Amino acid sequence: LVVDDLTDGRKFANLVGCDIAGYWDKDLFVERLRAAKLARPDAVFHQGACAVTTQWDGRYMMETNYRFSTEVLDYCLERSVPLIYASSAAVYGASSVFKEGDPSAERPLNVYGYSKLLFDQYVRRRLPAAQSQVAGLRYFNVYGAGEGHKGSMARRA
């Protein structure tokens, strides 16, 4: 099941050619998640976020990248569902040290990096009680096919 926000309908191109069971709008997913009206999945791959590092609407960024992610994590932990989520190397900012959990190394330069760091910290606090796998992947500059909708944020090889 793919969950996304296709308000910008051009993003459909990222799903063409994918063999998916179905599509739910992000708002419908959140509604069902909060009402606990979802079938228990085998695992959740939470790879979505607002990845526009030049976005300075902090309220939007925190709702999209932090709050939504905490709800997904809480749902997974309550049901012992493995969660693999997208973090970001943006949590390191201009640091030359890339070490998880080191406050001197995790110094984001923008609200995007901060939203990702805040969620990583939330995960760290919840992890000791977890009965299922939780893994955060700190992506560095990700680029390639399927990024056309990102416009100026698309990476080039």
Side-chain angles (χ1 to χ4, degrees):
L1 176 69
V2 170
V3 175
D4 203 346
D5 175 356
L6 289 180
T7 300
D8 178 354
R10 294 171 290 198
K11 289 179 17 179
F12 88 94
N14 293 320
L15 301 175
V16 171
C18 295
D19 184 13
I20 62 174
Y23 169 86
W24 282 5
D25 182 80
K26 177 185 168 194
D27 291 341
L28 174 62
F29 178 76
V30 169
E31 179 183 306
R32 297 234 175 135
L33 183 80
R34 289 176 180 159
K37 291 184 176 182
L38 297 174
R40 185 188 179 282
D42 293 331
V44 172
F45 296 89
H46 176 30
Q47 301 296 294
C50 175
V52 180
T53 58
T54 56
Q55 169 64 263
W56 287 104
D57 183 341
R59 179 179 278 169
Y60 172 77
M61 190 67 77
M62 295 304 288
E63 179 61 31
T64 301
N65 292 357
Y66 175 73
R67 181 64 51 209
F68 176 76
S69 297
T70 63
E71 291 189 50
V72 171
L73 174 68
D74 292 347
Y75 175 88
C76 289
L77 291 179
E78 289 166 10
R79 291 157 181 81
S80 298
V81 173
L83 171 66
I84 300 171
Y85 71 93
S87 183
S88 174
V91 303
Y92 300 117
S95 179
S96 60
V97 176
F98 307 111
K99 184 176 178 187
E100 181 186 1
D102 180 347
S104 67
E106 295 176 325
R107 310 229 7 117
L109 299 175
N110 54 42
V111 71
Y112 166 74
Y114 178 71
S115 70
K116 292 303 204 170
L117 176 59
L118 197 63
F119 181 64
D120 286 346
Q121 292 170 338
Y122 184 79
V123 170
R124 288 180 200 142
R125 289 191 302 273
R126 300 289 318 271
L127 209 49
Q131 299 294 312
S132 55
Q133 179 183 13
V134 178
L137 308 176
R138 284 199 171 161
Y139 293 112
F140 283 72
N141 286 341
V142 179
Y143 59 88
E147 287 201 48
H149 72 280
K150 292 182 180 178
S152 66
M153 291 302 300
R155 307 287 196 264
R156 302 288 187 252

